[in-house]
Amino acid sequence: MTIDKTILAELKAALLKEKEELESNLGKIARPIDKAEGDYETSFEDIGTDKDDNATEVDQYTQNLSVENTLEKKLQVILEALEKMEKGTYGFCENCQQEIPLDRLRANPSAKTCIKC
Ligand SMILES: [Zn+2]
């Protein structure tokens, strides 16, 4: 890969920033099981014991669960990109193995595929 070191550092900083934001949002609704793997478990908040409280708890949990899944997936894609940077395999399309154009990486540093794919 021929990504310039300065640009790579720029992309890495963008990924780390995104990672931080996701972790902070996840922290509000879930607790980390394995932070390095981006694995989180949705928290179940105990509001009360009567029927309405229980219904609210389940509603909230269901809602949080879907948000948590979305955030967790995004976080894992970012962790994967960071891992690829470490290994030096960052910037290649997972589908056709071609280099992903820099413009695309700049717009989306965690892109896994090229525009064609
Ligand atoms: Zn491709």
Side-chain angles (χ1 to χ4, degrees), residues 93 95-98 113-114 117:
C93 173
N95 198 39
C96 67
Q97 271 74 49
Q98 297 295 307
T113 53
C114 68
C117 295

Side-chain angles (χ1 to χ4, degrees), residues 90-103:
Y90 176 78
F92 289 93
C93 173
E94 278 191 357
N95 198 39
C96 67
Q97 271 74 49
Q98 297 295 307
E99 284 186 16
I100 301 173
L102 206 53
D103 286 350

Side-chain angles (χ1 to χ4, degrees), residues 48-66:
T49 47
D50 75 37
K51 232 181 178 179
D52 285 347
D53 288 341
N54 288 342
T56 310
E57 283 166 13
V58 172
D59 277 355
Q60 204 168 58
Y61 178 74
T62 312
Q63 212 182 354
N64 285 351
L65 197 65
S66 88

Side-chain angles (χ1 to χ4, degrees), residues 25-31 41-43 64-65 67-68 71:
N25 286 331
L26 272 165
K28 289 174 193 157
I29 53 160
R31 59 185 184 84
E41 188 182 67
T42 306
S43 319
N64 285 351
L65 197 65
V67 175
E68 193 263 335
L71 294 176

